[in-house]
Amino acid sequence: MDGLELVRSMRSLTTRRGLRAARSAWRGRRADARSLPARGAERARVPGPVTGVVPSPGGGVVRFARSELRILVASGGAVFWGWDGAGPEPSYALAGAAPEADPRAQLEPDKDGGWRVVSERVTVEVSRHGAVEVRTPGGVVLRRDLPPRWWEPVRGGPARWVQRTEVAADARFFGLGGRAAGPRLPSGEYGLWNTDPGGSFGPGDDPLSITMPVQVVVADAGTHLAFYDNTWEGRVVLREGTEGEGSGHDLPGTSVLRMTGGPLRCWVVVGTPARVLAHWSRLTGPAAVPPSWALGPQHARWGFGSEEEVRRVVAGYRERDLPLAAVHLDIDHYDGHRVFTVDRERFPDLPALAGQLRDAGVRTVSIVDPAVPAEPGNAVYESGRRAGAFVRDARGREVRGEVWPGACAYPDFTDPQVRQWWGQWYEERLAQGFSGVWHDMNEPVSFAPFGDMTLPRSARHALEGRGGDHREAHNVYGLTMARAGYEALRRLRPQERPFLFSRSGWVGMQRYGGTWSGDVASGWPGLRASLALVLGLGLCGVPYSGPDVGGFDATPSPELYLRWFQLGAYMPLFRTHSALDAGRREPWEFGPRVLRHARAALVERERLRPYFVTLAHLARLTGAPYVRPLWWGAPEDRALRECDDAFLLGDALLVAPVLAAGVERRQVRLPRGRWYDTATGRAYDGPGQVEVAAPLSRVPVLARAGSVVPVRGAGGHLELDVWAPADGRKGGGLVVPDRGDGWARAEVERYATRLTRGRVVVKQVRGDGTAAPRRRVRVRGLP
């Protein structure tokens, strides 16, 4: 805690809410002290030497003197290992049962008394003392987990453990969920405990609302993803390696993972970035496809205040001919901040308002917080008490926390029956006319003037019938809440794809929707953090996300707002949002010049809506995120691994946002191939770095030569922008037409392009003999 945070904490104690929060936090700490006694003396343990093996399909069990290791190479090439009897299940991360073993992979003796499993795509070697190496088929080491170490309380209790890993000296780390630093994770320490930062955050703040023990490691030898399937609190220390010069030795990169409890088990997937994310998607579940309207521009504010203000804002968009897909109502539309209620004075007829806006093409979206006011007569609370839905302490009493409405109880979403009970309340939201929901404060949050703003670690949870406490349940609380909401929306409106995004979550949250940045600070560092968060989450399997455009906590300058708006226009979730006292976020509030340029960004976003629809479906089908790092197609390019100020939008577009004040020209690192500036048509050849214009009116966007980009043409019809291939080269692209917001099967159209005698030929590739739909084609990039 720095000095400013200390001052804020002391000031909070002078308020009524602050005093209640302090009492709540004190009760929680007292409960932990009573129910979670000190660990006391501990006994250290390592695996010891190999004593035997038990082969089985895909691998087997390697027994050591003081532990055992289960190895499984699954069909498709994913590798699992678990210590001390840990298996792939139960798991909140996996979408279903663990994949079948690869029957061709066999456990066999290796050199120096070790063992190995050889498969088509990967080799796993286990040393006689318990080190685990993952190698390419050619024998190059991608990852080496040294023998783990456990510390077990002598008097009993969960063992804490540490796993040290070495990677190549040239390797770079990515992932770990939503991190404000990145997308390449610099050497440092990262927390694994979903956390409300208690205010706005920037690049130096960690951890944040979504932490995941998922590492994506990119090196010359190849790309791999490692996932330690453990929901307990932990910390990761990353150190990038260095390559020796002259006769100097290489120093490997290292990752040291320390967990306070839970199983030591790991999944590793190797291959190209596209292959890695495809297998990861199969393991953890395909991403939910948002309804197509949710790929348009959306507007939120904490403090709309009234129905009249909502109408005024929507009318402002219409009067200025600005596209708008949805408005989001924050907690101020509730009656006293009570979830599943409406302030009838300020919103006397919310269903009529929502219906009229929907008729005009604007959906309404409601915030939903998990904390339920513990008030006699509150319908949700009384129902939850009867259902036994709320989290309890070790003595069987309801756990209370302090949130916006006051003293609150918390549903235990790790209980299937509670998820069913909670889901029935979404019918009330739909009856109010809402088309989607956003989950907030679901780390979960309980206000506290000092320390961790969450529930006591000793609080009890069902954990799908296994039973346990908050140390294990905390990180999956947001995930299980998202599951409850998503399944309810599917059940209540089976004909529509649900729209749900959540501030907190864990591995697999993409199955139920997406996320957003949370309360990012309104400054240039916050703008840069916004890009890092979206890229990192995409590599962890969560493709639909975006920032609070303009930042949350203060009023941005006109230039900062516009640059943030321009970045947001190329993010999957494009939403403005701000705090109660942080000023408005409507484009016209920042002057006529900003309004003119913001309109251009909105118009381009709407023109690209078919491309975003295509990317949404491809994310579900292939696991590829909409927003990708520049090294996505060329991980061997070291310069691209270091690039943190640009990104690929799908395969076709490279977006280079402006992330600093006063910039009107900027350097752009290009992957290999030819790239066209979409504004000027000028061609650049990569790999390399070029300088391009970045006037206040736009950010640089470059199109890959040969690419096919679906766009919205005149009359709303789907058309194709085709960028001319380079001489002697071919190209192509995929298009998924929008078939509405229901569950119609996605039909993927494949196109091939080539340049022949100065003429671009576009051909649809179909293998079933059916007639191809006719699309209007516009060729771009020819002189």
Side-chain angles (χ1 to χ4, degrees):
M1 176 180 293
D2 61 26
L4 181 59
E5 289 174 325
L6 179 61
V7 170
R8 289 173 177 168
S9 298
M10 295 304 295
R11 285 177 179 172
S12 73
L13 291 175
T14 64
T15 67
R16 185 177 178 184
R17 174 175 289 145
L19 290 172
R20 291 198 307 260
R23 285 196 296 268
S24 174
W26 177 79
R27 287 193 298 268
R29 292 186 180 183
R30 187 175 63 173
D32 285 348
R34 182 173 53 244
S35 304
L36 300 175
R39 295 179 64 89
E42 294 180 314
R43 182 184 299 111
R45 175 167 61 89
V46 294
V50 169
T51 60
V53 299
V54 180
S56 62
V61 174
V62 182
R63 290 176 174 162
F64 297 84
R66 290 176 289 277
S67 187
E68 66 178 34
L69 173 68
R70 178 181 177 184
I71 297 285
L72 170 71
V73 176
S75 56
V79 177
F80 171 85
W81 66 80
W83 287 94
D84 282 359
E89 301 174 75
S91 170
Y92 278 105
L94 300 186
E100 296 290 331
D102 182 351
R104 300 168 297 176
Q106 300 293 325
L107 187 63
E108 57 189 45
D110 197 16
K111 59 184 181 298
D112 299 326
W115 294 80
R116 67 178 181 176
V117 182
V118 180
S119 70
E120 180 181 0
R121 295 196 177 113
V122 67
T123 296
V124 184
E125 295 186 0
V126 181
S127 78
R128 62 191 178 95
H129 288 289
V132 180
E133 289 186 353
V134 177
R135 295 176 175 265
T136 67
V140 179
V141 177
L142 294 175
R143 186 178 191 88
R144 184 172 191 262
D145 277 22
L146 302 178
R149 195 176 189 90
W150 295 266
W151 285 267
E152 301 166 333
V154 172
R155 293 181 296 181
R160 60 188 179 92
W161 51 264
V162 61
Q163 177 66 71
R164 188 175 189 273
T165 304
E166 294 179 348
V167 297
D170 67 281
R172 294 294 180 260
F173 296 99
F174 299 83
L176 293 182
R179 304 289 168 169
R184 177 177 66 83
L185 299 176
S187 297
E189 188 171 350
Y190 300 88
L192 295 173
W193 185 256
N194 291 351
T195 302
D196 175 5
S200 59
F201 66 86
D205 294 304
D206 187 274
L208 301 177
S209 296
I210 302 175
T211 65
M212 298 181 183
V214 178
Q215 298 177 10
V216 177
V217 183
V218 185
D220 288 354
T223 301
H224 75 271
L225 179 150
F227 164 52
Y228 292 90
D229 193 351
N230 184 313
T231 66
W232 288 60
E233 183 175 11
R235 301 202 71 79
V236 184
V237 178
L238 301 179
R239 291 287 181 266
E240 293 182 347
T242 56
E243 293 182 294
E245 297 181 1
S247 60
H249 294 288
D250 288 351
L251 293 178
T254 61
S255 166
V256 180
L257 173 62
R258 298 179 183 274
M259 302 299 293
T260 58
L264 173 44
R265 55 184 181 176
C266 182
W267 285 95
V268 173
V269 184
V270 305
T272 64
R275 183 183 293 278
V276 166
L277 266 294
H279 283 295
W280 181 236
S281 177
R282 291 171 199 159
L283 275 176
T284 61
V289 178
S292 58
W293 61 262
L295 296 169
Q298 304 176 50
H299 188 93
R301 191 202 306 161
W302 179 15
F304 270 125
S306 67
E307 176 179 321
E308 290 75 18
E309 178 66 4
V310 173
R311 292 186 186 278
R312 186 194 72 80
V313 169
V314 174
Y317 274 86
R318 290 289 175 263
E319 291 165 3
R320 295 167 178 83
D321 196 26
L322 302 175
L324 180 65
V327 290
H328 297 215
L329 301 190
D330 211 317
I331 55 173
D332 53 292
H333 88 278
Y334 283 133
D335 181 11
H337 297 163
R338 299 174 184 88
V339 68
F340 302 123
T341 64
V342 176
D343 185 331
R344 297 298 179 186
E345 290 187 7
R346 290 188 284 180
F347 293 88
D349 195 348
L350 189 52
L353 170 66
Q356 292 163 10
L357 294 182
R358 182 164 183 153
D359 290 342
V362 180
R363 302 320 202 271
T364 52
V365 176
S366 171
I367 192 174
V368 173
D369 288 355
V372 177
E375 302 170 335
N378 181 322
V380 181
Y381 177 66
E382 297 290 0
S383 172
R385 286 189 64 185
R386 291 191 296 271
F390 298 121
V391 175
R392 296 182 176 273
D393 64 18
R395 294 184 174 185
R397 299 175 301 185
E398 280 182 11
V399 171
R400 301 286 176 84
E402 186 71 21
V403 201
W404 300 115
C408 291
Y410 296 79
D412 181 7
F413 298 114
T414 69
D415 185 332
Q417 293 182 344
V418 174
R419 291 197 293 267
Q420 184 80 14
W421 166 80
W422 180 259
Q424 71 184 3
W425 292 97
Y426 287 71
E427 187 171 8
E428 182 273 341
R429 294 289 86 186
L430 298 181
Q432 298 296 341
F434 291 110
S435 298
V437 296
W438 53 294
H439 289 170
D440 203 350
M441 307 290 285
N442 59 337
E443 285 76 13
V445 174
S446 175
F447 294 150
F450 302 102
D452 201 4
M453 297 202 302
T454 189
L455 304 187
R457 282 163 167 74
S458 59
R460 303 297 299 174
H461 290 265
L463 290 167
E464 315 306 319
R466 293 180 288 110
D469 59 41
H470 198 66
R471 293 175 296 178
E472 183 177 358
H474 174 85
N475 280 337
V476 295
Y477 191 87
L479 171 74
T480 51
M481 182 186 180
R483 178 178 179 180
Y486 181 84
E487 291 177 347
L489 293 173
R490 284 206 64 170
R491 185 170 62 252
L492 294 168
R493 281 197 180 157
Q495 74 281 7
E496 296 182 11
R497 297 197 301 273
F499 177 54
L500 183 151
F501 61 104
S502 173
R503 188 169 84 174
S504 186
W506 202 64
V507 177
M509 65 182 295
Q510 75 278 356
R511 301 190 294 262
Y512 313 118
T515 184
W516 90 105
S517 64
D519 301 342
V520 62
S522 296
W524 292 99
L527 173 59
R528 183 174 287 273
S530 297
L531 176 56
L533 283 158
V534 174
L535 281 164
L537 286 164
L539 291 173
C540 291
V542 184
Y544 183 82
S545 66
D548 283 345
V549 167
F552 183 76
D553 65 328
T555 302
S557 69
E559 181 189 10
L560 173 59
Y561 172 81
L562 179 58
R563 291 308 195 185
W564 216 316
F565 200 88
Q566 291 166 337
L567 170 67
Y570 294 96
M571 296 284 100
L573 171 60
F574 180 19
R575 182 182 87 143
T576 60
H577 191 217
S578 60
L580 189 64
D581 56 354
R584 302 181 186 277
R585 287 292 188 271
E586 295 82 55
W588 55 89
E589 297 290 343
F590 294 86
R593 184 169 65 160
V594 169
L595 173 61
R596 182 171 65 255
H597 299 329
R599 178 185 290 110
L602 284 167
V603 168
E604 180 63 7
R605 171 65 177 231
E606 286 299 277
R607 193 181 77 90
L608 289 173
R609 180 84 72 89
Y611 188 48
F612 278 92
V613 170
T614 293
L615 295 178
H617 285 284
L618 292 180
R620 178 174 182 81
L621 293 172
T622 70
Y626 311 32
V627 172
R628 308 165 189 177
L630 291 189
W631 50 259
W632 178 262
E636 70 282 356
D637 188 330
R638 295 189 179 189
L640 296 180
R641 291 182 216 158
E642 309 294 333
C643 184
D644 62 359
D645 62 354
F647 60 93
L648 298 175
L649 182 61
D651 283 332
L653 300 179
L654 187 160
V655 182
V658 173
L659 303 176
V663 172
E664 293 195 355
R665 296 190 67 82
R666 59 153 294 176
Q667 299 292 318
V668 179
R669 175 68 60 179
L670 297 179
R672 63 176 176 263
R674 177 164 294 176
W675 297 86
Y676 296 97
D677 186 320
T678 58
T680 66
R682 180 176 175 181
Y684 301 92
D685 289 319
Q689 185 165 280
V690 298
E691 184 178 79
V692 297
L696 194 62
S697 60
R698 61 179 175 85
V699 296
V701 178
L702 296 97
R704 190 189 302 272
S707 62
V708 177
V709 181
V711 298
R712 178 177 289 175
H717 299 295
L718 192 155
E719 299 178 355
L720 304 179
D721 272 4
V722 176
W723 291 89
D727 290 339
R729 299 282 185 174
K730 297 180 180 179
L734 304 176
V735 176
V736 181
D738 188 353
R739 302 189 64 188
D741 291 337
W743 299 95
R745 182 173 176 270
E747 298 290 342
V748 181
E749 300 176 5
R750 292 172 170 81
Y751 292 89
T753 62
R754 69 177 188 274
L755 182 63
T756 302
R757 297 176 182 175
R759 179 171 176 265
V760 175
V761 177
V762 183
K763 181 180 180 180
Q764 188 173 30
V765 181
R766 299 180 69 92
D768 55 8
T770 59
R774 297 182 65 85
R775 306 284 186 208
R776 182 178 178 183
V777 175
R778 181 172 63 161
V779 175
R780 305 182 65 180
L782 287 178

